[in-house]
């Protein structure tokens, strides 16, 4: 049996209809894992569902705003009903724009980023952790809690203090979950991407300036793609990672060390 065979396992991925989330979903499906994806755009969900269903294992897609605790609880309960269980929870939904000086931040901009990136992850992880703990107490110990963080959590980010704060908080929450839930067979990790091609990066960075100033600092000399996160998702979900927890996985083409 392949150590990365995920047959019989189920993963929930928020923000799973594009980018990093889509890459994770594809990696998991290729190893036999069922996947439930959430997103706020119904059309993108439908397109992702059509693409992901071609891999074979069951896939479901649902519209869910992770900033709404009641909506998260309802959607999680439906995911369990659809798939029978949730073995891995990937809190990948995120948001953040870098267009305002810190001393001119409007309150709503600060709160929106924290609501999606930190509070949203909290609502999702709270449901998942309870589900995994109860299963463990019933004799079925296994779980994976994974948050998509950012290098901004550990590096200065001008005009992105709200984003950096949300991701720093996410990393701290992940480490605390790793400690509390290890006895239930549950591991917790954060994934810290470098510069990845997405709608968000297109909004934040001028293409010419990025090519001239940032690209020379990426040893791999390219931006990341969603597919670059397929393998790490499969590893984390597998039994092979059962004694590995509390890790901040940096996946950035060498940017951080250079």
């Amino acid at each position: 049996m392949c150590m990365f065979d995920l047959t019989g396992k189920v993963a929930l991925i928020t923000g799973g209809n594009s980018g990093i989330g889509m890459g994770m979903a594809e990696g998991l499906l290729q190893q036999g894992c069922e996947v439930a994806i959430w997103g706020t755009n119904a059309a993108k969900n439908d397109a992702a569902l059509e693409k992901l269903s071609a891999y074979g294992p069951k896939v479901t897609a649902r519209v869910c705003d992770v900033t709404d605790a009641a909506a998260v609880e309802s959607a999680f309960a439906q995911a369990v009903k659809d798939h029978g269980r949730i073995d891995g929870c990937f809190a990948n939904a995120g948001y953040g724009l870098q267009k305002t000086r810190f001393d001119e931040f409007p309150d709503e901009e600060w709160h929106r980023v924290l609501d999606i990136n930190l509070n949203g992850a909290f609502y999702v992880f709270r449901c998942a952790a309870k589900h995994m703990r109860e299963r463990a107490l019933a004799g079925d110990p296994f779980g994976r809690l994974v948050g998509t963080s950012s290098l901004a959590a550990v590096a200065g980010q001008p005009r992105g203090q709200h984003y950096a704060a949300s991701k720093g908080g996410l990393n701290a929450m992940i480490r605390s979950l790793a400690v509390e839930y290890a006895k239930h067979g549950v591991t917790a990790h954060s994934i810290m991407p470098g510069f990845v091609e997405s709608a968000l990066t297109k909004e934040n960075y001028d293409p010419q300036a990025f090519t001239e100033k940032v690209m020379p600092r990426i040893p791999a000399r390219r931006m990341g793609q969603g597919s670059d996160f397929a393998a790490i998702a499969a590893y984390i979900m597998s039994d092979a990672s059962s004694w590995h927890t509390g890790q901040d996985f940096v996946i950035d083409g060498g940017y951080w060390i250079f």
Side-chain angles (χ1 to χ4, degrees), residues 6 60 78 107 182 205 217 224 239:
L6 303 181
T60 58
Q78 185 61 50
D107 290 353
Y205 302 109
R217 298 177 59 193
D239 292 331

Side-chain angles (χ1 to χ4, degrees), residues 12-26:
L12 165 66
I13 306 173
T14 70
N17 58 21
S18 64
I20 291 174
M22 175 72 85
M24 291 176 172
E26 291 185 285

Side-chain angles (χ1 to χ4, degrees), residues 54-71:
Y55 285 98
K58 183 176 181 178
V59 185
T60 58
R62 192 171 188 83
V63 172
C64 182
D65 177 359
V66 297
T67 69
D68 183 335

Side-chain angles (χ1 to χ4, degrees), residues 151-164:
L151 290 179
V154 294
Q157 184 166 320
R159 302 193 180 202
Q161 289 85 354
H162 48 356
Y163 187 75

